[in-house]
């Protein structure tokens, strides 16, 4: 497109934009004028309605009230002349007119008086109602308790009177038990005080001191006719036990019971397991008990020792579960019992305990061993069965601070609250071989060559051609070699060649033994073991660990009895293996 054409095209679009803007502005101006005209008309009509309403209200209410007020003022102006005319006729006439002024005013302004009454009476009623509600709302509603037609106090809820009656009943029951040896048909005489039931009434009172159950109980006992005195009563788990002359005497007795389980440690604290409460108040004098008798009652055994006889198959944890206790609780009752238990032995599963139990929480400081750890170091130059202790482990020592809980002298729990290492443990260093004896050997396959079955031990204590003097009194060729040495017990026995385990078990003579079939009529036997590492049917490869050296069967010391059997005949193993 040429420049001239471009200018023409641009001028054409500017003209169109100007035309659109002009038309839009003109339209908005006309619409705005129309809306303003409509708004003015609407406002005028609204003002006309409001003004007419205000005028109506003025004519209906304000103007009559104004006229009535002017009328009343005019009446007050006429009062002096009216009274003056009455006194001119006579004193009594003047006094009569003065006294009749209110009635004259009401008769003169009947409409105003009626209006005032219509407004004032509802307002007055609302004010009185508010005062009434406020008064009764601010009142305290309490329960007045009467017994034997006499008021004995005020309480805030009915449960207090029920608790008070129960307290009084407990105290009188003890009287019946002491006097007549217990409750029976004859004890009704001791309970005559319950013939009257306390009467309760809801009342509204302010500034009233409310009473608790103990005070109400004292008031009831005062009305019962029984001989009563100011004493200190002991309650255990809410049960009344008896009274002493003073709270100090009762507290001293309770402290004596606690001291029987304490050792005088600074950080220990003793408390009763049961809920123990000392209550001062009025009690029948028959409830007084001597401190000695009360102590006997509180320390009397509430149950006897219970034992369990161990049966076949029992375990400590199973016995604990069966008697609803933890394993630690069972161990605490039987401190002499360790891991091993035997049929027929007895375990204490329930200790006799006093009626009032004492719990002591004591902070104890003691020392205990810190177990050493074992570190394994691999030596690639040694075979896999090689083991040697490079450094012996030694346990360390640490000081332990623990919070221990005892009940009646028996430990219940122990919580460690701090530890301090006094002596660090020395780790045990064990060197083990990581080199395979025959890395090409496959499980179950024989190589055709035998290796030494007890690596690290070369001493032969008995040869195949020696005569074996049996434990049962007969002699026979040994037919094997016995391999031993210092520290041989527990050493690892390896398969002399690959094959299949055809026997692995216990024999009266061999003890624990393993018999391996290598195929081609070749077998090897490893006897007097302490532990077997393979089972019958397992496939083993040459050099694989199969057992541990022991002293089982007909054996006079730890060693390995090694046999080589060819087609059922025992041969001299030294013809097949060498040290």
């Amino acid at each position: 497109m040429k420049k001239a054409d471009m200018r023409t095209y641009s001028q054409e679009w500017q003209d169109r934009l100007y035309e659109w803007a002009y038309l839009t502005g003109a339209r908005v101006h006309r619409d705005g004028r129309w809306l303003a005209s409509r708004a003015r008309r609407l406002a005028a009509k609204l003002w006309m309605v409001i003004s007419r309403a205000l005028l109506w209200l003025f004519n209906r209410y304000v103007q009559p009230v104004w006229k009535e007020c002017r009328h009343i003022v005019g009446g007050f102006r006429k009062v002096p002349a009216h009274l003056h005319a009455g006194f001119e006729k006579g004193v009594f006439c003047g006094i009569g007119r003065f006294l009749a002024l209110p009635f004259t005013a009401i008769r003169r302004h009947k409409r105003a008086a009626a209006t005032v009454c219509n407004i004032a009476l509802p307002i007055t009623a609302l004010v009185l109602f508010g005062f009434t509600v406020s008064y009764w709302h601010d009142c305290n509603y309490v329960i007045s308790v009467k017994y034997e037609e006499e008021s004995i106090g005020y309480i805030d809820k009915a449960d207090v009177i029920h608790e008070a009656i129960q307290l009084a009943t407990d105290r009188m029951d003890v009287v019946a038990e002491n006097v007549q040896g217990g409750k029976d048909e004859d004890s009704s005489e001791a309970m005559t005080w319950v013939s009257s039931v306390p009467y309760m009434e809801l009342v509204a009172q302010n500034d009233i001191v409310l009473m608790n159950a103990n005070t109400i109980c004292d008031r009831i006992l005062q009305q019962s006719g029984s001989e009563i005195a100011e004493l200190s009563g002991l309650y255990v788990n809410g049960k009344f036990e008896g009274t002493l002359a003073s709270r100090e005497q009762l507290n001293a007795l309770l402290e004596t019971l606690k001291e029987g389980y304490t050792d005088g440690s600074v950080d220990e604290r003793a408390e009763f397991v049961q809920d123990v409460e000392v209550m001062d108040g009025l009690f029948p004098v028959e409830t007084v008990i001597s401190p000695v008798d009360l102590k006997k009652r509180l320390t009397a055994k509430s149950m006897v020792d219970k034992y369990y006889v161990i049966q076949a198959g029992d375990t400590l944890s199973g016995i604990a579960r069966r008697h609803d206790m933890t394993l630690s609780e069972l161990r605490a009752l039987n401190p002499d019992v360790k891991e091993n238990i035997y049929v027929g032995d007895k375990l204490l599963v329930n200790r006799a305990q006093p009626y009032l139990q004492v719990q002591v929480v004591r902070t104890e400081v003691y020392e205990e061993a810190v177990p050493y750890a074992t570190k394994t170091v691999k030596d690639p130059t040694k075979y896999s069965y090689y083991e040697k202790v490079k450094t012996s482990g030694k346990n360390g020592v640490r000081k332990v601070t623990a919070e221990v809980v005892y009940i009646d002298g028996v430990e219940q729990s122990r919580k460690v609250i701090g530890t301090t290492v006094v002596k660090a443990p020395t780790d045990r260093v064990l060197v083990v071989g990581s080199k395979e004896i025959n890395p090409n050997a496959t499980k179950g396959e024989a190589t055709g060559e035998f290796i030494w079955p007890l690596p690290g031990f070369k001493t032969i204590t008995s040869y195949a051609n020696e005569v074996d003097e049996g434990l049962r009194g007969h002699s026979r060729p040994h037919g094997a070699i016995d391999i031993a040495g210092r520290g041989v017990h527990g050493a690892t026995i390896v398969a002399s060649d690959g094959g299949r385990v055809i026997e692995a078990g216990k024999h009266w003579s061999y003890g624990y033994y393993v018999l391996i079939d290598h195929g081609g009529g070749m077998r090897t036997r490893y006897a007097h073991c302490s532990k077997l590492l393979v089972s019958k049917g397992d496939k083993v490869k040459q050099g694989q660990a199969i057992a541990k050296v022991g002293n089982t069967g007909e054996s006079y010391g730890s060693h390995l009895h090694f046999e080589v059997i060819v087609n059922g005949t025992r041969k001299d193993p030294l013809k097949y293996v060498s040290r």
Side-chain angles (χ1 to χ4, degrees):
M1 182 180 292
K2 296 179 180 181
K3 292 184 178 181
D5 295 338
M6 291 181 63
R7 285 195 296 270
T8 303
Y9 182 76
S10 176
Q11 185 64 36
E12 182 181 350
W13 273 103
Q14 290 178 4
D15 294 341
R16 289 182 179 179
L17 181 62
Y18 174 79
E19 182 182 359
W20 177 81
Y22 175 78
L23 293 176
T24 301
R27 184 68 179 176
V28 170
H29 180 69
R30 287 195 299 270
D31 291 344
R33 292 178 62 187
W34 180 83
L35 289 175
S37 175
R38 298 292 294 179
R40 285 194 298 270
R41 292 178 183 178
L42 182 61
K45 291 182 178 181
L46 183 60
W47 171 246
M48 184 178 63
V49 172
I50 294 174
S51 61
R52 288 182 179 180
L54 292 175
L55 182 61
W56 181 84
L57 290 174
F58 179 81
N59 294 331
R60 180 70 175 82
Y61 294 102
V62 178
Q63 190 175 13
V65 171
W66 174 249
K67 289 181 178 180
E68 189 65 29
C69 290
R70 290 179 63 188
H71 191 200
I72 292 173
V73 173
F76 277 106
R77 291 176 179 174
K78 296 179 180 180
V79 169
H82 179 69
L83 292 177
H84 182 70
F87 278 105
E88 285 183 349
K89 293 181 179 181
V91 176
F92 292 105
C93 180
I95 294 174
R97 286 190 178 189
F98 176 77
L99 295 176
L101 283 178
F103 301 99
T104 303
I106 293 174
R107 187 168 58 251
R108 176 183 174 85
H109 307 286
K110 289 189 292 185
R111 187 174 181 181
T115 302
V116 171
C117 290
N118 291 336
I119 296 174
L121 290 178
I123 294 176
T124 304
L126 288 175
V127 171
L128 291 176
F129 178 75
F131 276 115
T132 303
V133 171
S134 176
Y135 173 80
W136 290 108
H137 179 268
D138 293 338
C139 280
N140 256 342
Y141 290 95
V142 295
I143 299 174
S144 174
V145 181
K146 293 183 179 180
Y147 185 78
E148 295 288 352
E149 301 299 331
E150 292 187 12
S151 177
I152 60 176
Y154 298 93
I155 58 177
D156 57 349
K157 52 185 177 180
D159 292 343
V160 175
I161 189 64
H162 298 314
E163 184 180 352
I165 292 175
Q166 185 60 48
L167 288 173
T169 302
D170 292 341
R171 298 177 189 181
M172 296 304 295
D173 284 350
V174 172
V175 175
E177 292 176 2
N178 292 341
V179 175
Q180 301 175 5
K183 294 182 181 180
D184 51 27
E185 295 179 355
D186 297 333
S187 66
S188 58
E189 295 181 1
M191 304 298 293
T192 55
W193 64 274
V194 298
S195 59
S196 296
V197 178
Y199 172 74
M200 292 182 289
E201 180 182 8
L202 185 65
V203 295
Q205 293 286 349
N206 289 324
D207 301 328
I208 289 297
V209 178
L210 298 177
M211 297 183 176
N212 56 25
N214 191 34
T215 305
I216 295 294
C217 173
D218 292 345
R219 296 290 180 88
I220 293 176
L221 290 177
Q222 287 176 337
Q223 302 294 331
S224 67
S226 301
E227 186 179 357
I228 57 177
E230 187 73 27
L231 302 170
S232 294
L234 177 65
Y235 291 81
V236 177
N237 283 343
K239 182 183 176 184
F240 179 59
E241 300 296 337
T243 60
L244 292 181
S246 65
R247 174 181 284 265
E248 290 74 15
Q249 190 177 11
L250 193 51
N251 287 335
L253 174 61
L254 296 176
E255 289 300 321
T256 301
L257 296 180
K258 293 180 182 179
E259 290 172 359
Y261 296 97
T262 58
D263 60 3
S265 301
V266 177
D267 296 328
E268 71 176 355
R269 62 181 186 274
E271 56 189 17
F272 294 110
V273 176
Q274 294 93 332
D275 182 18
V276 176
E277 182 182 5
V278 177
M279 186 179 297
D280 297 329
L282 296 177
F283 294 84
V285 294
E286 291 88 347
T287 62
V288 178
I289 184 173
S290 68
V292 175
D293 291 338
L294 183 57
K295 185 176 181 180
K296 287 181 180 180
R297 176 182 297 182
L298 298 178
T299 57
K301 300 297 183 181
S302 60
M303 59 181 66
V304 297
D305 289 343
K306 181 180 179 181
Y307 290 89
Y308 173 78
V309 180
I310 299 173
Q311 308 294 324
D314 280 341
T315 61
L316 287 176
S317 58
I319 296 172
R321 286 194 302 271
R322 194 176 306 159
H323 293 87
D324 295 327
M325 63 175 62
T326 62
L327 183 59
S328 59
E329 291 174 343
L330 182 63
R331 291 185 183 279
L333 291 175
N334 302 272
D336 297 332
V337 176
K338 306 303 180 184
E339 291 296 331
N340 297 326
I341 56 177
Y342 303 96
V343 175
D345 287 351
K346 292 182 178 181
L347 289 178
L348 181 63
V349 295
N350 202 344
R351 183 186 297 276
Q353 60 188 30
Y355 174 68
L356 185 58
Q357 296 180 279
V358 178
Q359 173 180 285
V360 178
V361 181
R362 185 179 300 136
T363 301
E364 298 183 357
V365 180
Y366 54 91
E367 291 185 350
E368 67 177 14
V370 181
Y372 62 81
T374 299
K375 293 184 177 179
T376 302
V377 179
K378 292 185 178 181
D379 187 348
T381 64
K382 303 294 183 181
Y383 288 108
S384 57
Y385 51 76
Y386 177 81
E387 287 186 359
K388 183 178 180 180
V389 178
K390 183 178 181 180
T391 304
S392 298
K394 293 182 179 180
N395 290 334
V397 179
R398 65 183 172 193
K399 182 183 292 185
V400 180
T401 304
E403 188 177 74
V404 188
V405 178
Y406 298 90
I407 294 182
D408 298 332
V410 179
E411 182 177 332
Q412 302 297 315
S413 64
R414 181 178 295 263
K415 179 183 178 182
V416 176
I417 57 179
T419 58
T420 303
V421 176
V422 178
K423 180 182 178 182
T426 301
D427 292 339
R428 177 173 177 261
V429 180
L430 180 65
V431 180
V432 298
S434 59
K435 180 181 178 182
E436 292 190 40
I437 297 177
N438 186 356
N440 298 321
T442 307
K443 282 189 175 183
E445 294 185 3
T447 63
E449 296 181 0
F450 293 92
I451 63 173
W452 192 252
L454 191 58
F457 297 89
K458 307 297 183 181
T459 303
I460 298 177
T461 59
S462 181
Y463 293 88
N465 56 2
E466 294 182 3
V467 176
D468 185 11
E469 296 293 338
L471 294 176
R472 300 195 178 188
H474 56 273
S475 301
R476 61 182 178 183
H478 189 220
I481 58 173
D482 290 344
I483 307 172
R486 183 177 181 182
V488 72
H489 187 84
T492 301
I493 304 170
V494 300
S496 188
D497 198 4
R500 184 172 59 87
V501 178
I502 58 175
E503 292 181 15
K506 190 175 184 180
H507 185 268
W508 67 270
S509 178
Y510 290 128
Y512 288 106
Y513 76 100
V514 176
L515 182 63
I516 301 176
D517 185 4
H518 306 286
M522 300 294 294
R523 295 181 177 180
T524 52
R525 179 181 281 113
Y526 313 79
H528 304 309
C529 306
S530 63
K531 183 179 181 181
L532 302 182
L533 305 179
V534 293
S535 302
K536 181 179 179 180
D538 290 349
K539 291 182 178 181
V540 296
K541 66 179 182 178
Q542 188 181 55
Q544 179 179 335
I546 59 173
K548 298 288 185 179
V549 175
N551 187 29
T552 57
E554 284 192 348
S555 173
Y556 295 98
S558 297
H559 68 279
L560 168 63
H561 176 94
F562 177 62
E563 296 180 3
V564 176
I565 305 170
V566 181
N567 294 323
T569 303
R570 292 188 296 178
K571 301 293 185 178
D572 185 0
L574 294 178
K575 293 181 179 180
Y576 300 88
V577 296
S578 62
R579 289 177 285 187

